[in-house]
Amino acid sequence: MSETNAQKVQEVIIAGMSKTVANYDYAMSELEALVAANNMHAALRIDQGLEKPNPATFFGKGKVVEIKEVAAANDLHIMVINADLTPSQVRNLEEQTDIQIIDRTGLILEIFGNRARSKEAKLQVKIAQLQYQLPRLRTSISNRLDQQAGAAAGGGGGFTNRGAGETQLELNRRTIQDRISHAKHELKELNKDEVVRRAQRDKAGLPNVALVGYTNAGKSTTMNGLVKLFGKGEDKQVFEKDMLFATLDTSIRQLTFPDNKQLLLSDTVGFVSDLPHNLINAFRSTLAEAANADLLIQVIDYADPHYKEMMATTEKTLKEIGVHDVPMIYAFNKADLTEADYPNQQDDQLIYAARDEASLQALTSMIKAKVFKNYVTTTLLIPFSDGDVVAYLNDHANILKTDYLADGTQLTVELNAVDAQRYEKYVVTPA
């Protein structure tokens, strides 16, 4: 595909059922943003006012006729619906409207399929795509998602039923099930490596801080700002862009502050309302950084009028992935796009702007107050023969006072739990 074709925006219809969704206008604006994230443009919006979906076609008969006429009159060939449809609803709608139907889960899977970069993310998305595709082998008239899942699985143009009968359909189903099992096995092997890496990080005794929140709230921008201030020289910036699901991979960076205190900071995949369960399950290992964190920073788009709904979505998703009772800082980002004064801290809440250094310093102070509160201040007397210990502490601890005595170097120092235990033998017992 040429670069010009790859960048061509597809005009689509978006549609929803207003009486079955709370905060309907917000839900549709979110759908429009998701559509844009998939290189599409919502050219038209169609609303249905039924109390409950039609079990056969989701929309009522009159609305189905309207959709067909509107699509034909405007030369539109795709409709994205803000709901999860059954395979039969998709099939019936496509047959009666002569356009392609994409439901909410299908749309999000397309976005994730296009954004996955690492081997782990690609496997996670592939599993979710194939699980979604399995009951829909005969529903898609254009095979858009089928082709993506087939390509992701390494198998050409998908597994849609080509009219070869029930035997071929069953063969296709078994093929997809086999590929799901194979992908899960590959992912399990990758996860073993990550478990080892996580154990090594835990052994180092460094606090783990995870950025979580709604997609496009500014997590990556916040992380890049902190890495620029406190990261190592070779630390790379993480990818950031003003769009939903700019990155799917969890990035981890080590921060070292002027007082030599250190922590690990992770940037996790963003959330969105009604994130498909297959994706939550597939990304559970990636989101384990949040579950294992000592502190969560929930980054919130304070400039968005629906930020409270976004916070509710984040809280709900965290519960779904098993995150409970982890301390949290509520970081209200993009204050520079509002009339609010910033940085402004109250208890565990901070109004800030991720590109403002004073804001990042305020956030840093809050983080340090949380994760280093259990550090101990102690006095060590280290013999001159153990100069390597003094060198280590000068590089990795906050030295408050240094005295050179006849029998060694005496340090008053702040230590984390691991180092406090490691150097317990040097502790000077008060007289």
Side-chain angles (χ1 to χ4, degrees):
M1 182 181 290
S2 70
E3 183 176 351
T4 301
N5 289 335
Q7 294 176 348
K8 184 178 180 180
V9 176
Q10 177 73 57
E11 299 286 325
V12 302
I13 302 169
I14 62 172
M17 193 159 291
S18 60
K19 293 186 179 180
T20 62
V21 179
N23 299 316
Y24 179 69
D25 285 335
Y26 163 63
M28 292 303 290
S29 66
E30 181 183 82
L31 181 68
E32 188 172 350
L34 287 168
V35 162
N38 202 40
N39 203 35
M40 297 170 166
H41 173 254
L44 288 173
R45 169 174 155 179
I46 292 177
D47 303 310
Q48 170 78 78
L50 291 178
E51 296 290 343
K52 61 180 180 179
N54 184 314
T57 56
F58 188 75
F59 298 109
K61 292 182 179 179
K63 187 64 68 173
V64 172
V65 172
E66 177 188 337
I67 290 168
K68 182 175 181 178
E69 293 175 348
V70 167
N74 292 275
D75 194 27
L76 298 172
H77 307 285
I78 298 174
M79 181 166 68
V80 183
I81 300 175
N82 190 44
D84 288 335
L85 274 61
T86 66
S88 62
Q89 285 174 330
V90 173
R91 180 176 66 249
N92 293 335
L93 267 178
E94 289 186 334
E95 289 175 352
Q96 295 183 34
T97 62
D98 294 327
I99 60 175
Q100 182 191 355
I101 303 299
I102 302 175
D103 67 4
R104 183 184 176 84
T105 292
L107 174 64
I108 294 176
L109 287 173
E110 283 199 17
I111 296 170
F112 273 55
N114 292 331
R115 300 284 165 78
R117 293 292 178 265
S118 70
K119 184 175 182 180
E120 182 179 18
K122 288 178 180 179
L123 282 171
Q124 290 165 328
V125 173
K126 175 170 49 170
I127 292 168
Q129 284 181 327
L130 292 173
Q131 288 174 331
Y132 175 82
Q133 181 192 12
L134 194 57
R136 294 169 170 81
L137 289 176
R138 295 191 293 181
T139 63
S140 177
I141 60 175
S142 65
N143 306 330
R144 180 187 184 96
L145 184 61
D146 298 349
Q147 291 171 358
Q148 284 199 351
F159 308 100
T160 52
N161 184 22
R162 304 295 182 182
E166 187 68 20
T167 300
Q168 183 60 46
L169 180 60
E170 290 302 317
L171 176 62
N172 290 342
R173 285 174 176 159
R174 286 197 298 272
T175 301
I176 291 181
Q177 288 168 340
D178 288 343
R179 290 190 168 177
I180 290 172
S181 297
H182 181 70
K184 284 184 175 180
H185 176 74
E186 285 189 80
L187 186 59
K188 186 176 181 180
E189 292 301 310
L190 283 178
N191 289 343
K192 286 181 181 178
D193 294 336
E194 177 54 34
V195 168
V196 172
R197 288 192 293 270
R198 187 174 292 122
Q200 291 173 338
R201 294 195 295 268
D202 292 343
K203 188 177 180 180
L206 298 183
N208 290 279
V209 178
L211 296 160
V212 298
Y214 209 81
T215 180
N216 206 33
K219 296 183 301 299
S220 296
T221 305
T222 299
M223 184 169 193
N224 283 338
L226 292 172
V227 168
K228 183 178 179 181
L229 289 174
F230 305 113
K232 296 180 179 179
E234 66 273 16
D235 275 344
K236 296 180 179 179
Q237 300 279 287
V238 299
F239 180 72
E240 60 178 87
K241 191 172 181 179
D242 184 17
M243 62 181 179
L244 304 188
F245 301 116
T247 179
L248 303 182
D249 297 306
T250 296
S251 301
I252 301 174
R253 301 290 187 268
Q254 180 173 315
L255 303 185
T256 302
F257 302 109
D259 58 6
N260 282 334
K261 291 187 176 73
Q262 298 176 323
L263 59 79
L264 296 174
L265 181 67
S266 60
D267 176 23
T268 61
V269 62
F271 303 146
V272 69
S273 61
D274 300 319
L275 192 65
H277 286 285
N278 282 348
L279 275 177
I280 292 176
N281 290 331
F283 277 78
R284 195 171 294 275
S285 61
T286 300
L287 294 169
E289 291 300 330
N292 295 322
D294 299 295
L295 174 67
L296 298 178
I297 303 173
Q298 184 180 161
V299 181
I300 302 147
D301 183 352
Y302 194 46
D304 193 301
H306 302 288
Y307 73 87
K308 290 183 179 179
E309 288 95 330
M310 295 176 176
M311 293 175 68
T313 291
T314 297
E315 301 284 354
K316 178 182 177 183
T317 307
L318 288 172
K319 288 181 180 178
E320 288 183 5
I321 63 175
V323 178
H324 303 287
D325 302 323
V326 179
M328 182 180 293
I329 290 173
Y330 297 88
F332 295 87
N333 187 27
K334 304 186 183 181
D336 50 326
L337 303 180
T338 74
E339 300 297 322
D341 293 329
Y342 66 92
N344 185 1
Q345 178 192 347
Q346 289 188 352
D347 299 324
D348 293 335
Q349 300 183 4
L350 175 69
I351 298 174
Y352 80 114
R355 300 187 189 280
D356 171 53
E357 184 172 338
S359 292
L360 294 174
Q361 293 288 0
L363 180 59
T364 300
S365 296
M366 294 178 69
I367 294 171
K368 292 176 68 176
K370 291 284 188 182
V371 300
F372 300 126
K373 65 181 180 180
N374 293 325
Y375 269 47
V376 296
T377 300
T378 188
T379 300
L380 309 176
L381 181 58
I382 304 167
F384 292 122
S385 58
D386 293 346
D388 57 326
V389 175
V390 176
Y392 172 86
L393 293 174
N394 277 315
D395 288 338
H396 296 89
N398 185 24
I399 307 296
L400 302 176
K401 185 180 180 182
T402 301
D403 293 307
Y404 298 100
L405 307 180
D407 46 357
T409 304
Q410 182 169 288
L411 302 176
T412 301
V413 59
E414 283 185 296
L415 295 177
N416 61 35
V418 173
D419 285 341
Q421 184 176 13
R422 180 185 300 163
Y423 300 118
E424 187 177 10
K425 65 179 180 180
Y426 298 116
V427 173
V428 175
T429 304

